[in-house]
Amino acid sequence: MTRLYKAGLLALFVIFIIGCSSRYHTRQDTAPVRTPTEHEMRDAKVKAEPKSVSAGRPYVVRGKQYHPMSDEKGYTAEGIASWYGQKFHGYYTSNGEIFNMYDMTAAHKTLPLPSFVKVTNLENGKSAIVRVNDRGPFHDDRIIDLSYAAAYKLGYHNQGTAKVQIEAITLDRVAPRLTYIQVVASSNKNNIQKLANKLGTQLEINTNIAQEGGLHKLRLGPLESDEHAQTLLKSLQAGEFRHAFLLYSEQRL
């Protein structure tokens, strides 16, 4: 590889980082025209992924140099979280992906890309697991930018910022998760109860009904394995419950 070619690659990398980062100079973002769905607000699934080499190099924004971590294991922090949405939807993230404001993702100044963190809103106790795939926010008083969907789940999408706790989640820290299927939701509790009795008998499976926001949500499980869950989900979706989806929880619902 020639010296000129190496210099060209370095220049392209610097332009790419600055291009991704300069979006955060904008002071005001705009809210999307619709709220995220329950499916879109499911926690990001923690998995082993190769780290971006280019996004792991030191970089400079607004005259300040940042040195990304090589390993996120054990990382915790508290501070102010903001969010970004409509204005940046469809732009490239710092590791070359396309930002989708309805994905459970986040931007951080120095965490490896990608990595996974649990973010807890210290003002209301709500939490979410997000995948960090971008750089920012480049404000000294903020430690993380969440996607609109993640901010909505944490309950601070209207106020713009919230005090949060961040905990890096690596595969050796992932707690066993229980798998459920949410079949349907309705404001009519009697109909949901009748359907729960019917499916519980037909499928020989545990059922439970959760009440959230005026809706009664019928869930099956916990299921004995992911394979069983996938098979049952396909069967339900092929019938009258095409909007059924998998639901994961670290505790019994």
Side-chain angles (χ1 to χ4, degrees), residues 57-241:
R57 295 169 181 163
Y59 65 97
V60 177
V61 174
R62 301 181 186 176
K64 184 175 181 179
Q65 189 169 50
Y66 296 90
H67 296 270
M69 308 174 200
S70 59
D71 184 3
E72 71 273 28
K73 188 174 182 179
Y75 172 79
T76 62
E78 285 188 14
I80 301 299
S82 48
W83 64 267
Y84 62 132
Q86 186 75 45
K87 188 169 291 185
F88 310 120
H89 187 74
Y91 282 77
Y92 283 105
T93 65
S94 295
N95 69 339
E97 300 173 356
I98 300 296
F99 173 64
N100 184 339
M101 60 188 166
Y102 294 110
D103 286 342
M104 294 293 284
T105 59
H108 190 277
K109 302 180 187 76
T110 57
L111 279 169
L113 304 185
S115 56
F116 297 86
V117 296
K118 179 180 180 181
V119 184
T120 302
N121 185 340
L122 296 176
E123 297 168 12
N124 59 21
K126 295 181 178 180
S127 64
I129 295 176
V130 297
R131 181 174 176 270
V132 181
N133 68 343
D134 206 358
R135 290 288 177 229
F138 296 105
H139 300 273
D140 290 339
D141 62 337
R142 301 177 190 177
I143 61 171
I144 195 167
D145 247 348
L146 298 188
S147 67
Y148 175 68
Y152 192 97
K153 183 173 183 178
L154 265 62
Y156 73 91
H157 57 290
N158 285 329
Q159 64 207 61
T161 61
K163 186 174 182 180
V164 301
Q165 180 184 52
I166 304 173
E167 304 170 80
I169 303 294
T170 51
L171 285 176
D172 59 330
R173 284 194 56 202
V174 177
R177 294 194 298 179
L178 300 174
T179 305
Y180 296 81
I181 293 178
Q182 180 158 310
V183 180
V184 68
S186 171
S187 60
N188 191 316
K189 183 177 181 179
N190 289 334
N191 287 346
I192 290 293
Q193 186 62 63
K194 290 178 182 177
L195 182 59
N197 296 338
K198 177 182 175 181
L199 291 179
T201 301
Q202 287 181 346
L203 302 174
E204 298 182 347
I205 197 170
N206 291 328
T207 64
N208 63 83
I209 299 174
Q211 184 174 357
E212 297 176 2
L215 291 177
H216 303 279
K217 302 178 179 182
L218 172 58
R219 293 162 178 170
L220 308 180
L223 303 170
E224 56 192 39
S225 67
D226 282 344
E227 183 178 359
H228 178 211
Q230 291 288 352
T231 300
L232 180 56
L233 178 64
K234 289 179 181 179
S235 176
L236 291 167
Q237 291 176 334
E240 59 181 305
F241 305 110

